[in-house]
Amino acid sequence: MVKGQSFQLIVLLAGFVWVLVAPGQAASRIDIVTEDYPPYEMAEPGGGLRGFDYEVAVEAFRRMGFHADIRFLPWKRALSEAENGTTSGILTCAHHPDRERFILFSDPISVFTNGFFIRKAHDGPVIQKVEDVVGQPVASMAGYESLKVLQNLGAKPIEAQTTEIGLRMLAAGRFDYLLGAREQIEYTIRQEGLSGQFKFISLTTKDFHFCFSRNFPGVEDLVEHFNAALAEMREDGTYDAIHGKYR
């Protein structure tokens, strides 16, 4: 939305019709799915915090006139609901060509640092790019973009069902390299009491997006107004204030 506008734009989900609604009128609910992915989205609040992407999305939709109804699901089920159009979209996901047929990607909502976690004492080949692990014992989390990257390279990765399981398997020597997002995995390491056991090999920094379902009615308008609300939040300092709570 443009700053200073005296109305809010709300979609009536029952009829999928856009209408102008005066401020103060009850907001419509909008269904969103996600997985527990701290510190981006947190199923259980930690010190009152729900995750910086969670808070940014809730505020962006509030400015659009919506109450964000966020449901936590296993990642593969979240992808399925987005593909079927039974939810407005996923909070949050990385861009991947395989998702373009059923996802419209918002402007970037956050970033993640992609790379490999290794055991602290591991003395293996020098890794400078993701292709260097082909032929090495490697893993990533089931359903994640990082797993598909490894599979497409022919690396034959092990699928860890959760980040916690992946870290335990790495610590036990089931494989030598765990590919994923530094921010999320380091948070899990602290929560699981595994600090000091791993090192990180940084590869790239990429964007996360709100991933709107192409099959959700009125989705093009949703993306446009979400991007406008997100830009407004960056401009007025709200975005930085939310992220500041997690540093």
Side-chain angles (χ1 to χ4, degrees):
M1 300 298 279
V2 178
K3 218 183 237 184
Q5 286 183 332
S6 59
F7 58 82
Q8 293 177 307
L9 194 60
I10 294 182
V11 63
L12 298 181
L13 298 181
F16 312 119
V17 178
W18 291 96
V19 295
L20 295 179
V21 179
Q25 191 164 332
S28 293
R29 288 183 173 271
I30 188 164
D31 184 79
I32 297 165
V33 295
T34 190
E35 71 161 346
D36 187 28
Y37 196 72
Y40 296 87
E41 299 91 25
M42 300 160 65
E44 296 296 330
L49 302 178
R50 294 305 306 265
F52 44 77
D53 279 358
Y54 186 107
E55 292 192 41
V56 166
V58 166
E59 174 61 16
F61 281 108
R62 186 195 67 79
R63 295 183 184 207
M64 295 163 63
F66 291 108
H67 173 80
D69 188 4
I70 300 176
R71 296 183 288 124
F72 284 83
L73 301 174
W75 181 246
K76 287 186 176 181
R77 184 176 164 194
L79 283 172
S80 177
E81 290 213 11
E83 186 169 4
N84 294 333
T86 53
T87 183
S88 67
I90 304 172
L91 175 70
T92 47
C93 75
H95 179 272
H96 192 277
D98 290 349
R99 296 173 181 166
E100 290 179 353
R101 64 182 176 82
F102 65 94
I103 290 293
L104 287 176
F105 298 90
S106 75
D107 290 341
I109 190 172
S110 61
V111 299
F112 68 100
T113 307
N114 204 36
F116 291 102
F117 281 85
I118 61 175
R119 292 182 300 280
K120 199 166 187 179
H122 176 68
D123 185 21
V126 176
I127 301 298
Q128 296 182 322
K129 56 187 184 299
V130 68
E131 291 84 357
D132 292 340
V133 298
V134 175
Q136 301 295 323
V138 65
S140 191
M141 275 57 72
Y144 285 13
E145 179 210 1
S146 50
L147 184 71
K148 288 187 177 181
V149 168
L150 293 171
Q151 291 170 335
N152 290 340
L153 287 173
K156 299 181 180 178
I158 293 172
E159 295 187 30
Q161 292 305 306
T162 67
T163 302
E164 292 84 355
I165 292 172
L167 286 168
R168 299 289 180 183
M169 293 171 71
L170 177 62
R174 294 280 302 279
F175 47 81
D176 293 332
Y177 302 93
L178 180 66
L179 181 61
R182 180 176 192 171
E183 294 81 359
Q184 185 265 335
I185 295 178
E186 285 189 343
Y187 182 91
T188 304
I189 287 171
R190 293 192 297 271
Q191 295 298 111
E192 294 293 305
L194 299 173
S195 297
Q197 297 191 34
F198 308 105
K199 295 187 292 186
F200 181 71
I201 302 170
S202 180
L203 297 178
T204 58
T205 298
K206 296 184 179 181
D207 292 323
F208 270 145
H209 308 265
F210 190 100
C211 295
F212 288 91
S213 169
R214 286 185 180 273
N215 294 318
F216 189 78
V219 65
E220 290 84 3
D221 285 322
L222 279 176
V223 176
E224 177 184 351
H225 290 283
F226 182 88
N227 287 341
L230 188 60
E232 183 183 89
M233 291 171 63
R234 291 183 184 274
E235 181 182 348
D236 67 20
T238 303
Y239 182 92
D240 287 340
I242 289 172
H243 278 258
K245 295 187 291 183
Y246 294 84
R247 296 190 182 108

